[in-house]
Amino acid sequence: MSVHRSYVRSLYKKALYTSLDWYPNRLYWRPIALQIRAEFEANRGESSPVRIQQLVRETEDALEEYQHPLPYKYMTAPGGTKYERNRWFEDNMTL
């Protein structure tokens, strides 16, 4: 797998996660995800390196523009509401 292909995949994944920040309900998010997929698929066969770089740059700019001010974090992930919630108890338990 080429470096470019993996970078485009990471952009696609980042686009999906960014849209999920704005639409946390999967019922409303799914049409947006399909639209993102269609946009990536429409440019899949592009062979011009100049046009590919332009598309990548446009995608990066769009992701930066649509970044959510408070992105969703899983509860138990670092920065989540339950991250290390029981840590004190786990560290101080003696058997």
Side-chain angles (χ1 to χ4, degrees), residues 1-10 46 52-53 56:
M1 176 169 46
S2 70
V3 174
H4 169 74
R5 194 176 277 181
S6 64
Y7 184 69
V8 171
R9 284 183 183 165
S10 72
E46 187 64 50
I52 291 172
Q53 286 302 319
V56 167

Side-chain angles (χ1 to χ4, degrees), residues 13-43:
K13 193 173 180 180
K14 193 179 294 188
L16 290 177
Y17 281 127
T18 300
S19 66
L20 194 55
D21 287 341
W22 289 100
Y23 299 94
N25 186 338
R26 299 279 173 146
L27 182 65
Y28 301 117
W29 172 77
R30 181 72 177 146
I32 305 299
L34 292 175
Q35 181 182 2
I36 291 170
R37 176 65 183 228
E39 291 176 17
F40 273 81
E41 286 292 329
N43 297 310

Side-chain angles (χ1 to χ4, degrees), residues 7 11 53-67:
Y7 184 69
L11 281 177
Q53 286 302 319
Q54 181 184 7
L55 289 169
V56 167
R57 203 172 313 112
E58 289 173 4
T59 304
E60 290 169 342
D61 293 342
L63 286 175
E64 187 175 325
E65 180 182 343
Y66 292 122
Q67 195 70 26

Side-chain angles (χ1 to χ4, degrees), residues 78-93:
T81 56
K82 294 184 179 180
Y83 180 66
E84 293 188 345
R85 176 179 254 181
N86 297 321
R87 175 124 184 169
W88 184 85
F89 295 108
E90 292 169 359
D91 289 345
N92 293 315
M93 286 181 61

